[in-house]
Amino acid sequence: MKNSIKILSLLLITLFAFSACSKDDDPADNDLFTGRYEGSVGFSSTDDEEEDVATTSGSVTVVKVGNNYTFNFSEGIPTLGDIEMKKGDNNTIIIGDGALGSITITESTLRIAYTKDGRAWSADCDR
């Protein structure tokens, strides 16, 4: 009887461990991807009113509201906001609406190469 209880307990623990450790986390599903990522950031603009920021060390704070993400950059770089990520889009490729780019976000990395209306943001960050 003791042996059966041990086997059953081990089976339940194993089942729980496999279900809790999902590698399929998705930005659209949860807030796991919000927070601060640090690494290299940059910005350029064709508008003379905006100052370019050469690629430098900095950070990006990711904020999520619904399915929309806002990326708040350090170093005086303008915020990149209202980016919609749908379920299954850990890697979002954005083409259209005057925008062209790619945003890849995981629990530990953030990669941004995004251009819209003569403005370009870049980030290669980890946490």
Side-chain angles (χ1 to χ4, degrees):
M1 183 72 175
K2 284 185 178 182
N3 202 18
S4 297
I5 292 174
K6 285 180 186 179
I7 292 173
L8 183 59
S9 297
L10 184 60
L11 181 63
L12 289 174
I13 290 170
T14 304
L15 180 63
F16 177 74
F18 279 118
S19 66
C21 298
S22 173
K23 293 188 180 203
D24 297 333
D25 281 334
D26 192 296
D29 290 340
N30 58 49
D31 295 328
L32 179 67
F33 304 98
T34 61
R36 184 178 170 143
Y37 295 79
E38 295 183 359
S40 60
V41 296
F43 175 77
S44 64
S45 176
T46 57
D47 186 351
D48 292 336
E49 300 290 316
E50 292 183 309
E51 195 171 317
D52 291 354
V53 177
T55 301
T56 186
S57 291
S59 65
V60 180
T61 302
V62 179
V63 179
K64 178 184 177 198
V65 177
N67 286 337
N68 293 336
Y69 280 78
T70 299
F71 302 92
N72 297 311
F73 288 78
S74 65
E75 310 308 313
I77 297 174
T79 296
L80 175 60
D82 212 24
I83 304 296
E84 184 176 356
M85 297 182 97
K86 297 180 180 143
K87 189 172 175 122
D89 284 349
N90 294 41
N91 186 3
T92 299
I93 298 173
I94 302 156
I95 300 173
D97 216 17
L100 175 65
S102 170
I103 298 174
T104 302
I105 186 170
T106 68
E107 181 181 0
S108 60
T109 62
L110 173 66
R111 307 288 183 259
I112 298 175
Y114 186 87
T115 304
K116 183 175 183 177
D117 300 330
R119 304 165 87 196
W121 292 263
S122 65
D124 186 4
C125 301
D126 298 305
R127 65 171 169 176

